[in-house]
Amino acid sequence: MYSFRNDYSEGAHPRILELLNKYNLEANIGYGEDIHSDRARKYIKKLIGKDNVDIHFIPGGTQTNMLVISSFLRPHQCVIAADTGHINVHETGAIEATGHKVVAMHCKDGKLTPEIIQRALDRHTDEHMVQPKMVYISNSTELGTVYSKHELSAINDKCKENGLLLFLDGARLGSALTCKTNDLDIKDIANLVDVFYIGGTKNGALLGEALVIIREDLKEDFRYLTKQRGAMAAKGFILGIQFEALFLDDLYFELARHANEMAERLASIIDEAGYKFYAEPCTNQVFAIFPDVLLEKMGKEFIYEFTDKVDENNTAVRFVTSWATKIEAVEALREFLNKNR
Amino acid sequence: MYSFRNDYSEGAHPRILELLNKYNLEANIGYGEDIHSDRARKYIKKLIGKDNVDIHFIPGGTQTNMLVISSFLRPHQCVIAADTGHINVHETGAIEATGHKVVAMHCKDGKLTPEIIQRALDRHTDEHMVQPKMVYISNSTELGTVYSKHELSAINDKCKENGLLLFLDGARLGSALTCKTNDLDIKDIANLVDVFYIGGTKNGALLGEALVIIREDLKEDFRYLTKQRGAMAAKGFILGIQFEALFLDDLYFELARHANEMAERLASIIDEAGYKFYAEPCTNQVFAIFPDVLLEKMGKEFIYEFTDKVDENNTAVRFVTSWATKIEAVEALREFLNKNR
Amino acid sequence: MYSFRNDYSEGAHPRILELLNKYNLEANIGYGEDIHSDRARKYIKKLIGKDNVDIHFIPGGTQTNMLVISSFLRPHQCVIAADTGHINVHETGAIEATGHKVVAMHCKDGKLTPEIIQRALDRHTDEHMVQPKMVYISNSTELGTVYSKHELSAINDKCKENGLLLFLDGARLGSALTCKTNDLDIKDIANLVDVFYIGGTKNGALLGEALVIIREDLKEDFRYLTKQRGAMAAKGFILGIQFEALFLDDLYFELARHANEMAERLASIIDEAGYKFYAEPCTNQVFAIFPDVLLEKMGKEFIYEFTDKVDENNTAVRFVTSWATKIEAVEALREFLNKNR
Amino acid sequence: MYSFRNDYSEGAHPRILELLNKYNLEANIGYGEDIHSDRARKYIKKLIGKDNVDIHFIPGGTQTNMLVISSFLRPHQCVIAADTGHINVHETGAIEATGHKVVAMHCKDGKLTPEIIQRALDRHTDEHMVQPKMVYISNSTELGTVYSKHELSAINDKCKENGLLLFLDGARLGSALTCKTNDLDIKDIANLVDVFYIGGTKNGALLGEALVIIREDLKEDFRYLTKQRGAMAAKGFILGIQFEALFLDDLYFELARHANEMAERLASIIDEAGYKFYAEPCTNQVFAIFPDVLLEKMGKEFIYEFTDKVDENNTAVRFVTSWATKIEAVEALREFLNKNR
């Protein structure tokens, strides 16, 4: 059985575990005020080319999303998101539980555009409706697509013009920034959004997301808000050490590149076998459409997730690769598809 | 510099790290549905002598408290707690952020009693006031004290009579159940409360609390609620493996016993040196009162926390021991006190 | 200038004011426990043919919606509504502010159907998504349409099969139950939903909605919840007296019939003049489509609201009639349209 | 039976009802944007001597409190209040339901002081605790006492020094400002607090509180927040007309003076009869201590509320007078006490 279920099935990359072992018996200050967290912050600041940012290490992604959105909006304000956005669909209403409406807009390929954002603004005209104040995007998106520099700049412009905060969910930022079609680097991200995070959980860490707050006026009291939402780890250094390992050298992007290479190879195999894609493959999530009769067999040898029923006889499924994906698993699919023409 | 700052300054006990390393490359199902979490659940069920309980592994303590309280109360209901209770003081209003009032009652030694609970009930008489529905206690308490079997039974009786849920915060349950004055075992806990947790973070794990839901009618949909509060770890198996390590054999209590032994020794040293305690020492938190002039020197060699100014010249401070505390650190205090008579 | 802006532009129907004057100096118990509220409850219970219901008088509609939804759902549960539903669009996120997602479904004519409800259920399959637990409908809807007995029964069946609560917003229930195409009576409503309200504000009262809780298990502690949301009027008898006036005899329906007659006449005038409707007219809200050039003139003599831009040259607008609408106002529109052919 | 239960037992003062009748059939704009609300705003601005304030008419007191507090605090911030404060005790956790902790401080006579506020600040030292950001006081207080100009200035100074907002609940402001010991006028109030309200419900209106926002930076988007909390009345002009009536001339204070005169007379009667007070009488709430044997008889002729059991044989009870209290009711108590020496 080969698993392409997701990119958080294994523990941590060995170089991360190594560092956790190395510092295990050190007595560290709690709550993210330790030297490892500081070192990781220093590395990340250098990488993004900005020194005057605040960086907080948060245990999980849903937590980070709810923390960011609830901290920066006033009660009557809402966040605009793609209808496929993680916060709209897959967080059991975590955002609404903090009191805010998610205004979900229909999107192609999981990506918001200035036009779609404008449509959301046009619908919200007075005090009887929620007030749009933030735009939430993810890169890569839930459909594995990425924003180009041109696209992200245009969204940033639209936000600036309309006093909207721009928040980028980077749970899979590594894969986005190392994929073939990408033309953004992490410095661009830091220049074009107000707040974003660099996902660790889905790129080799045991857990953890590095939240980067760019805008000065969003920084105040953020540690209070983190604590209140249960997002301040007592042993914050556990997160710090992991991001230290990821950004000490190029490990973070190295892992992402591996995941992307495995996904590319997987996509060519599927393409060569004559199957279509549900979304253009590009990062470590490959959405392909297979006949149901084929899937019946495939399900006995491979683990993947159901995405959508596209017609009576065909179904879209998702294959995810990661730092831990082995080439044998990918090649096994080639063999399977060859055998089952 | 010897640190008695807290019991979450180091990483994980080596036997836990060992297991994390061992299973690191296994492909596991996410969100706590993996075999390690199941194994840990099995061990804990056996230990508490109950099979029909639900066990969820939650990353942090504040998270667990807010999750439990917000899940089991209706909007108009409140939780009764000691005024020193963690939820009242040290969680930045996490409970209130979920909509519920904490009715804080003045207590001696951090412990609620049936009389104090009754006083809270007497004050809440009609629909213009919040409705008491849950009692929150911690064992050991924030002052390091523990409940006796008799005391816990009496609270349980009072709750039953008044339709109150009883929730025990066991962030330091290991230390409570292995201290000298304790007469409760974990089976008693499971029989006398409706929901409780077994703290991992403060007893040797990287992070994690094992939440045990006893009452049948509290179990429904708890995974939805966990996800909504950002408390469902993607790599839930990381928590599962750690609790597997802790409860595979006696490790959990072994670690707690060590912490208690260190604390006992520390307390005798302080006692022998002629200093008084702020609260009767008994578990791994020792609250002692020292002259300010002495503390000025002590602070240069030992790390501890400020607790209270007791009079013009004397201050109560907290020393915490843990599984990682070394006897040399404790003995260093003896030497220091001898030198500074 | 003739106003068709809405049905809450005037004070109260004179027979209501009369009763408020009559009882003005009586000393009444506060918070809805007075004899007038009790009398109004008695009248309503008789009218709906059910004695074992709980009736609460709530000052406003948004308040009633948020109170009902937040009281009957657990934190992870959501309410299904038409995308045009008042709670989705026009309450500034009041529902989300209590922590619950509104799952908005695209609907024709503002009406949910069993099929649409099923579609919402199909999309919410596990604990990573909110759990549908309530269906919110309004009668008449925000587009002035009404549910037939057959349609409401089918929705009720769908809800029963799926453990969903059915909540009917009756802000304009009077108009719905007295319109020509209606085949429901208020006893049917009480039999086919779990909770509903009878709108006073939009049918002749100064303010007030009569909330009727049918299901036994929804009744508990509702006064606590009402108080908590700021929805328990100190002088509750002010609401009680008004509903006493409305249901002492047939006044409530008399007022609604008048509004409907005015709307019908308005609709024929528009129809005869050759204009189309944006939604089939039937209750006291008439949505008609006019050329923009005509509206430019019309706006100088009549007050109405913008609804939608239907194409480059035409716009849908809303005319609302009420108990206070005079026939002269309606006839003035005939004259205007005749003059402006 | 003579009722001293509270000051909201009757409808509205006849001059208010008169105006409601007079304007009843006018077609007004909804949601507080009508000419009557504007006129009332103009009168109030003149009275308080400030033109650049925002005034909103809110249906109820609990609503106003929760709206103000939840609008002006960020999620991690708390409000400091007297332990007897209405928001702490008698609003069923309405403040906490919006996510904020009420830090309740023990006070004498229901009044906060700079020292008590400082004590609350001293207890909240870092991000593990809620952050004090607002002080809530009421004038008159829940014990019928009032703040002097000196006291209010000192609180204002303390707030300014510590970046705290000062919010004054004026549900009974009329009675406070017209009582004998008072040395504040309403202009002082407007100069010494950031936001306050002028209570209508307890001083002659059917319902309604006039909320005055002084500080510029608190004004933004307040109508959104009002709508979201269900506090924006559709027929806002109903509130506007009432405040127009109250402030067209001196009616508001006239009614309050009457209530105070009745209370003064009541207090002298009790004093002359030799009974003690639970709190120094001064406004329209008189808290007196009577023997239980006497209360047994008194309860058959007079309605009042239980306050506190002061010792085994004596109980404190509350008598409230209002604009509607008749001198005969007061004199009846004299007679009763004479008869029952």
Side-chain angles (χ1 to χ4, degrees):
Chain A
M1 206 70 169
Y2 297 101
S3 172
F4 294 97
R5 181 185 281 122
N6 56 45
D7 34 16
Y8 45 89
S9 292
E10 290 83 12
H13 186 270
R15 274 151 69 189
I16 294 177
L17 267 196
E18 208 175 284
L19 224 63
L20 283 171
N21 277 284
K22 177 174 170 186
Y23 297 128
N24 190 49
L25 292 182
E26 258 187 30
N28 273 296
I29 303 181
Y31 306 115
E33 301 192 302
D34 60 285
I35 51 164
H36 300 287
S37 297
D38 279 346
R39 229 177 272 162
R41 283 183 193 107
K42 210 180 62 185
Y43 296 153
I44 293 174
K45 286 176 180 183
K46 199 175 159 203
L47 186 72
I48 65 173
K50 281 190 190 293
D51 204 50
N52 59 340
V53 301
D54 276 7
I55 300 179
H56 303 268
F57 300 105
I58 310 293
T62 294
Q63 240 180 352
T64 310
N65 288 336
M66 91 179 176
L67 175 57
V68 165
I69 295 170
S70 67
S71 296
F72 301 152
L73 297 185
R74 294 184 64 199
H76 62 294
Q77 297 176 331
C78 68
V79 57
I80 300 171
D83 53 358
T84 48
H86 204 261
I87 58 168
N88 187 44
V89 184
H90 280 101
E91 301 188 351
T92 322
I95 306 309
E96 290 85 357
T98 68
H100 301 281
K101 194 179 187 80
V102 176
V103 170
M105 302 300 292
H106 186 63
C107 291
K108 212 174 134 301
D109 285 344
K111 286 160 67 178
L112 283 176
T113 65
E115 293 68 38
I116 297 174
I117 293 168
Q118 186 58 50
R119 214 175 301 147
L121 293 174
D122 290 345
R123 277 191 208 156
H124 293 85
T125 53
D126 67 34
E127 68 252 23
H128 296 268
M129 294 162 239
V130 287
Q131 184 184 72
K133 187 64 189 173
M134 185 185 275
V135 167
Y136 164 95
I137 56 174
S138 18
N139 197 30
S140 67
T141 71
E142 288 71 16
L143 290 176
T145 52
V146 297
Y147 285 90
S148 70
K149 189 163 176 176
H150 178 77
E151 289 168 341
L152 187 60
S153 298
I155 290 177
N156 176 42
D157 289 347
K158 171 60 70 181
C159 288
K160 287 274 180 302
E161 284 160 27
N162 292 281
L164 300 169
L165 300 170
L166 181 52
F167 168 34
L168 186 146
D169 169 342
R172 290 191 174 100
L173 189 59
S175 178
L177 295 185
T178 56
C179 82
K180 278 208 169 159
T181 59
N182 173 64
D183 68 348
L184 280 165
D185 71 22
I186 201 165
K187 285 191 179 68
D188 297 324
I189 302 280
N191 284 324
L192 293 172
V193 307
D194 295 307
V195 52
F196 74 104
Y197 62 98
I198 305 171
T201 309
K202 291 174 176 166
N203 197 30
L206 288 175
L207 82 169
E209 319 292 309
L211 178 66
V212 184
I213 307 181
I214 313 278
R215 258 179 79 136
E216 199 53 38
D217 62 355
L218 300 181
K219 294 176 184 172
E220 197 178 2
D221 290 344
F222 199 77
R223 284 177 59 79
Y224 281 89
L225 295 151
T226 305
K227 176 72 185 181
Q228 185 181 54
R229 300 294 178 191
M232 187 183 276
K235 298 186 180 177
F237 50 88
I238 295 297
L239 302 171
I241 292 170
Q242 293 185 82
F243 279 94
E244 185 183 345
L246 285 166
F247 290 103
L248 178 66
D249 49 29
D250 193 42
L251 181 61
Y252 187 77
F253 294 111
E254 198 181 294
L255 299 184
R257 271 189 297 266
H258 173 80
N260 284 350
E261 278 162 26
M262 293 299 105
E264 250 179 79
R265 187 184 280 246
L266 198 76
S268 331
I269 290 170
I270 292 167
D271 185 43
E272 282 163 23
Y275 298 105
K276 297 255 170 287
F277 296 101
Y278 183 75
E280 193 51 31
C282 128
T283 57
N284 73 322
Q285 299 182 83
V286 177
F287 294 82
I289 301 170
F290 294 112
D292 294 345
V293 289
L294 182 66
L295 286 172
E296 218 166 300
K297 286 186 207 164
M298 206 188 289
K300 285 170 187 147
E301 299 182 36
F302 298 89
I303 303 175
Y304 45 78
E305 279 194 354
F306 167 84
T307 295
D308 199 6
K309 198 89 195 66
V310 295
D311 62 39
E312 223 175 307
N313 302 314
N314 295 281
T315 296
V317 296
R318 184 183 74 156
F319 285 74
V320 189
T321 58
S322 81
W323 61 274
T325 302
K326 294 207 179 95
I327 198 160
E328 298 89 81
V330 179
E331 289 300 321
L333 185 73
R334 187 193 305 272
E335 216 172 302
F336 172 84
L337 290 179
N338 281 340
K339 258 203 315 225
N340 290 278
R341 287 186 179 264
Chain B
M1 205 74 170
Y2 297 101
S3 173
F4 293 97
R5 181 184 282 122
N6 56 44
D7 34 15
Y8 45 89
S9 292
E10 291 83 13
H13 187 269
R15 274 151 70 189
I16 293 177
L17 267 197
E18 207 176 285
L19 224 63
L20 283 171
N21 277 284
K22 178 175 172 187
Y23 297 126
N24 190 48
L25 293 181
E26 259 188 28
N28 272 297
I29 304 181
Y31 306 114
E33 300 193 303
D34 61 284
I35 52 166
H36 300 287
S37 296
D38 279 346
R39 228 177 272 161
R41 284 184 192 105
K42 208 181 64 186
Y43 296 153
I44 293 174
K45 287 177 181 183
K46 198 174 160 203
L47 186 74
I48 66 173
K50 282 191 189 293
D51 204 49
N52 59 341
V53 301
D54 276 7
I55 300 178
H56 303 268
F57 300 106
I58 310 293
T62 294
Q63 241 180 350
T64 310
N65 289 336
M66 92 179 175
L67 175 57
V68 165
I69 294 170
S70 67
S71 296
F72 301 152
L73 297 185
R74 293 185 65 201
H76 63 295
Q77 296 175 332
C78 68
V79 56
I80 300 171
D83 53 359
T84 48
H86 205 261
I87 58 168
N88 187 45
V89 184
H90 281 101
E91 302 189 351
T92 322
I95 306 309
E96 290 85 356
T98 68
H100 301 281
K101 195 180 187 80
V102 176
V103 170
M105 303 299 293
H106 186 63
C107 290
K108 213 173 133 303
D109 286 344
K111 288 160 66 178
L112 283 176
T113 64
E115 293 68 37
I116 297 173
I117 294 168
Q118 186 58 51
R119 212 174 304 147
L121 294 173
D122 290 345
R123 278 190 208 158
H124 294 85
T125 53
D126 66 35
E127 68 252 22
H128 295 268
M129 292 162 240
V130 288
Q131 184 185 71
K133 186 63 188 174
M134 185 185 275
V135 167
Y136 164 94
I137 56 175
S138 18
N139 198 30
S140 67
T141 71
E142 287 71 17
L143 290 176
T145 52
V146 297
Y147 286 90
S148 72
K149 188 164 178 176
H150 178 75
E151 289 168 340
L152 187 60
S153 299
I155 290 177
N156 176 42
D157 289 348
K158 171 59 69 178
C159 288
K160 287 272 181 305
E161 285 160 26
N162 292 281
L164 299 169
L165 299 170
L166 182 52
F167 168 35
L168 186 146
D169 169 341
R172 290 192 173 100
L173 189 59
S175 177
L177 295 184
T178 55
C179 81
K180 277 208 167 158
T181 58
N182 173 65
D183 68 348
L184 280 165
D185 70 22
I186 200 165
K187 286 191 178 69
D188 297 324
I189 303 279
N191 284 325
L192 293 172
V193 307
D194 295 306
V195 52
F196 73 105
Y197 63 98
I198 305 171
T201 309
K202 290 173 176 167
N203 197 30
L206 290 175
L207 81 170
E209 318 293 308
L211 178 65
V212 185
I213 306 180
I214 313 278
R215 259 179 78 136
E216 199 55 38
D217 61 356
L218 301 180
K219 295 176 184 171
E220 196 178 3
D221 291 342
F222 198 77
R223 284 176 59 79
Y224 282 88
L225 295 152
T226 305
K227 176 73 184 180
Q228 185 182 54
R229 300 294 178 191
M232 187 183 277
K235 298 187 179 176
F237 50 88
I238 294 297
L239 303 172
I241 291 170
Q242 293 185 80
F243 278 95
E244 184 182 345
L246 285 166
F247 289 104
L248 178 67
D249 49 28
D250 193 43
L251 181 61
Y252 186 77
F253 294 111
E254 198 181 294
L255 299 184
R257 271 189 298 265
H258 174 80
N260 284 349
E261 278 161 26
M262 293 300 104
E264 249 178 79
R265 187 184 281 243
L266 198 76
S268 333
I269 289 169
I270 292 166
D271 185 43
E272 282 163 22
Y275 299 105
K276 296 256 171 290
F277 297 100
Y278 184 74
E280 193 53 30
C282 126
T283 56
N284 73 322
Q285 297 182 87
V286 177
F287 295 83
I289 301 170
F290 293 111
D292 294 344
V293 288
L294 183 63
L295 285 172
E296 218 166 301
K297 288 186 206 164
M298 205 188 286
K300 287 170 187 147
E301 300 183 35
F302 299 88
I303 303 174
Y304 43 79
E305 280 194 353
F306 168 83
T307 296
D308 199 7
K309 197 89 195 67
V310 296
D311 63 38
E312 224 174 307
N313 303 312
N314 294 282
T315 296
V317 296
R318 184 183 74 154
F319 285 75
V320 190
T321 59
S322 81
W323 61 274
T325 302
K326 293 205 179 96
I327 199 160
E328 298 89 83
V330 179
E331 287 302 321
L333 186 72
R334 186 193 306 273
E335 215 171 301
F336 172 85
L337 290 178
N338 281 340
K339 256 200 317 221
N340 291 280
R341 287 185 179 266
Chain C
M1 205 72 169
Y2 298 102
S3 172
F4 294 97
R5 181 184 282 123
N6 56 44
D7 33 16
Y8 45 90
S9 292
E10 290 83 12
H13 187 269
R15 273 151 69 191
I16 293 176
L17 267 197
E18 207 176 284
L19 224 63
L20 283 171
N21 276 286
K22 178 174 171 188
Y23 296 127
N24 189 49
L25 293 181
E26 259 186 30
N28 272 296
I29 303 182
Y31 306 113
E33 300 192 303
D34 61 284
I35 52 166
H36 300 288
S37 296
D38 279 347
R39 228 177 273 161
R41 284 184 192 106
K42 209 181 63 187
Y43 296 153
I44 293 174
K45 287 177 180 183
K46 198 174 161 205
L47 185 73
I48 66 173
K50 283 191 189 293
D51 205 49
N52 60 341
V53 302
D54 276 7
I55 299 177
H56 303 268
F57 300 106
I58 310 293
T62 294
Q63 240 180 352
T64 311
N65 289 336
M66 92 179 175
L67 175 57
V68 165
I69 294 170
S70 67
S71 296
F72 301 153
L73 297 185
R74 294 185 65 201
H76 62 296
Q77 296 176 331
C78 69
V79 56
I80 300 170
D83 52 358
T84 48
H86 205 261
I87 57 168
N88 187 44
V89 184
H90 281 103
E91 302 189 351
T92 321
I95 305 309
E96 289 85 356
T98 68
H100 301 280
K101 194 180 188 78
V102 176
V103 170
M105 303 300 293
H106 186 63
C107 290
K108 215 176 131 301
D109 286 343
K111 287 160 67 177
L112 282 176
T113 64
E115 293 69 36
I116 297 173
I117 294 168
Q118 186 59 50
R119 213 173 303 146
L121 294 173
D122 290 345
R123 277 190 209 158
H124 294 85
T125 53
D126 66 34
E127 68 252 24
H128 296 269
M129 293 161 238
V130 287
Q131 184 184 72
K133 186 63 190 174
M134 185 186 275
V135 167
Y136 164 94
I137 56 175
S138 19
N139 198 29
S140 65
T141 70
E142 288 70 18
L143 290 176
T145 52
V146 296
Y147 285 90
S148 71
K149 188 163 178 176
H150 177 75
E151 290 168 339
L152 188 60
S153 299
I155 290 177
N156 176 42
D157 289 348
K158 171 60 70 179
C159 287
K160 287 272 181 303
E161 284 159 27
N162 292 282
L164 299 169
L165 299 170
L166 182 51
F167 168 35
L168 187 145
D169 169 341
R172 291 192 173 101
L173 190 59
S175 177
L177 295 184
T178 56
C179 81
K180 277 209 168 158
T181 58
N182 172 63
D183 67 348
L184 280 166
D185 71 22
I186 201 165
K187 285 191 179 68
D188 297 325
I189 302 280
N191 284 324
L192 293 172
V193 306
D194 295 307
V195 51
F196 73 104
Y197 62 97
I198 305 171
T201 309
K202 290 174 176 165
N203 197 30
L206 290 175
L207 81 170
E209 318 293 310
L211 177 66
V212 185
I213 306 180
I214 313 279
R215 259 179 78 135
E216 199 53 39
D217 62 354
L218 301 181
K219 294 175 184 172
E220 195 178 1
D221 290 344
F222 199 77
R223 284 176 59 79
Y224 281 88
L225 295 152
T226 305
K227 176 73 185 181
Q228 186 182 54
R229 300 294 176 191
M232 186 182 277
K235 298 187 179 175
F237 50 87
I238 295 297
L239 302 171
I241 292 170
Q242 293 185 80
F243 278 94
E244 184 183 346
L246 285 167
F247 290 104
L248 178 66
D249 49 29
D250 194 43
L251 181 60
Y252 187 78
F253 294 111
E254 197 180 295
L255 299 184
R257 272 189 297 265
H258 173 80
N260 284 351
E261 279 161 24
M262 292 300 104
E264 250 178 78
R265 187 184 279 245
L266 197 76
S268 332
I269 290 169
I270 292 166
D271 185 43
E272 283 163 20
Y275 299 104
K276 297 257 170 289
F277 296 100
Y278 183 75
E280 194 52 32
C282 128
T283 57
N284 72 323
Q285 297 183 86
V286 177
F287 294 83
I289 300 170
F290 294 112
D292 294 345
V293 290
L294 183 65
L295 285 172
E296 218 168 301
K297 288 187 204 163
M298 205 188 286
K300 286 171 186 147
E301 300 183 35
F302 299 89
I303 303 174
Y304 44 80
E305 279 194 354
F306 168 83
T307 296
D308 199 6
K309 199 85 194 71
V310 296
D311 62 39
E312 224 175 306
N313 303 312
N314 294 282
T315 296
V317 296
R318 184 183 75 154
F319 286 75
V320 190
T321 60
S322 81
W323 61 273
T325 302
K326 294 207 179 95
I327 198 159
E328 298 89 82
V330 179
E331 288 301 322
L333 186 72
R334 185 192 307 273
E335 216 171 302
F336 172 85
L337 290 179
N338 282 341
K339 257 201 313 223
N340 290 279
R341 288 185 181 263
Chain D
M1 205 71 167
Y2 297 102
S3 172
F4 294 97
R5 181 185 281 123
N6 56 44
D7 34 17
Y8 45 89
S9 292
E10 291 83 13
H13 187 270
R15 274 152 69 189
I16 293 176
L17 267 196
E18 207 175 284
L19 224 63
L20 283 171
N21 276 284
K22 177 174 170 187
Y23 296 126
N24 190 48
L25 293 182
E26 257 187 29
N28 273 296
I29 304 182
Y31 306 114
E33 301 192 301
D34 60 285
I35 52 166
H36 300 287
S37 296
D38 279 346
R39 228 177 272 162
R41 283 184 193 106
K42 209 181 62 186
Y43 296 153
I44 293 174
K45 286 176 181 184
K46 198 174 159 203
L47 185 73
I48 66 173
K50 281 190 190 292
D51 203 50
N52 60 341
V53 301
D54 276 7
I55 300 178
H56 303 268
F57 301 106
I58 310 293
T62 294
Q63 241 180 351
T64 310
N65 288 336
M66 92 180 174
L67 175 57
V68 165
I69 295 169
S70 67
S71 296
F72 301 152
L73 297 185
R74 294 185 65 201
H76 62 294
Q77 297 175 330
C78 69
V79 56
I80 300 171
D83 54 357
T84 48
H86 204 262
I87 58 167
N88 188 43
V89 185
H90 280 103
E91 301 189 352
T92 322
I95 305 310
E96 289 86 356
T98 67
H100 301 281
K101 193 179 187 82
V102 176
V103 169
M105 303 299 293
H106 185 64
C107 291
K108 211 175 135 295
D109 286 344
K111 287 160 66 178
L112 282 176
T113 64
E115 292 68 38
I116 298 174
I117 293 168
Q118 186 59 51
R119 213 173 302 147
L121 293 174
D122 290 344
R123 277 190 209 160
H124 293 84
T125 53
D126 67 35
E127 67 252 24
H128 296 268
M129 294 160 239
V130 286
Q131 183 183 72
K133 186 66 189 172
M134 185 185 273
V135 167
Y136 164 95
I137 56 175
S138 19
N139 197 29
S140 66
T141 71
E142 288 71 18
L143 290 176
T145 51
V146 295
Y147 285 90
S148 71
K149 188 163 177 175
H150 178 76
E151 289 167 340
L152 187 59
S153 299
I155 290 176
N156 175 42
D157 289 347
K158 171 59 72 180
C159 288
K160 286 274 181 302
E161 285 159 27
N162 292 281
L164 299 169
L165 300 169
L166 181 51
F167 168 35
L168 186 145
D169 169 342
R172 290 191 174 101
L173 189 60
S175 177
L177 295 185
T178 56
C179 81
K180 278 209 169 158
T181 58
N182 173 62
D183 68 349
L184 280 165
D185 70 23
I186 201 165
K187 284 190 181 68
D188 297 324
I189 303 279
N191 284 324
L192 293 172
V193 306
D194 296 306
V195 52
F196 73 104
Y197 62 98
I198 305 170
T201 310
K202 290 173 177 166
N203 197 30
L206 290 175
L207 81 169
E209 318 294 309
L211 177 66
V212 185
I213 307 181
I214 313 278
R215 258 179 78 135
E216 199 53 39
D217 62 354
L218 301 181
K219 294 175 184 173
E220 196 178 3
D221 291 342
F222 199 76
R223 284 176 59 80
Y224 282 89
L225 295 151
T226 305
K227 175 73 185 181
Q228 184 181 54
R229 300 293 177 191
M232 186 183 278
K235 298 186 179 176
F237 51 86
I238 295 298
L239 302 172
I241 292 169
Q242 294 184 79
F243 278 94
E244 185 183 344
L246 285 167
F247 289 103
L248 178 67
D249 49 28
D250 193 43
L251 181 60
Y252 186 77
F253 294 111
E254 199 181 294
L255 299 185
R257 273 189 296 265
H258 173 80
N260 284 350
E261 279 161 25
M262 293 299 104
E264 250 178 81
R265 187 183 281 245
L266 198 76
S268 331
I269 290 170
I270 291 167
D271 185 44
E272 283 164 20
Y275 299 104
K276 297 255 170 290
F277 297 101
Y278 183 74
E280 194 52 32
C282 126
T283 57
N284 73 322
Q285 298 182 83
V286 177
F287 294 83
I289 300 170
F290 294 112
D292 294 345
V293 290
L294 183 65
L295 285 172
E296 217 167 302
K297 287 188 205 162
M298 206 189 287
K300 286 171 186 145
E301 299 182 37
F302 299 88
I303 303 175
Y304 43 80
E305 279 194 355
F306 167 83
T307 296
D308 199 6
K309 198 89 194 68
V310 296
D311 62 37
E312 224 175 307
N313 302 313
N314 295 281
T315 296
V317 296
R318 185 183 74 155
F319 285 74
V320 189
T321 59
S322 82
W323 61 275
T325 301
K326 295 209 179 93
I327 198 160
E328 299 89 80
V330 179
E331 288 300 323
L333 185 72
R334 187 194 304 274
E335 215 171 302
F336 171 85
L337 290 179
N338 282 340
K339 258 202 314 229
N340 290 279
R341 288 187 179 262

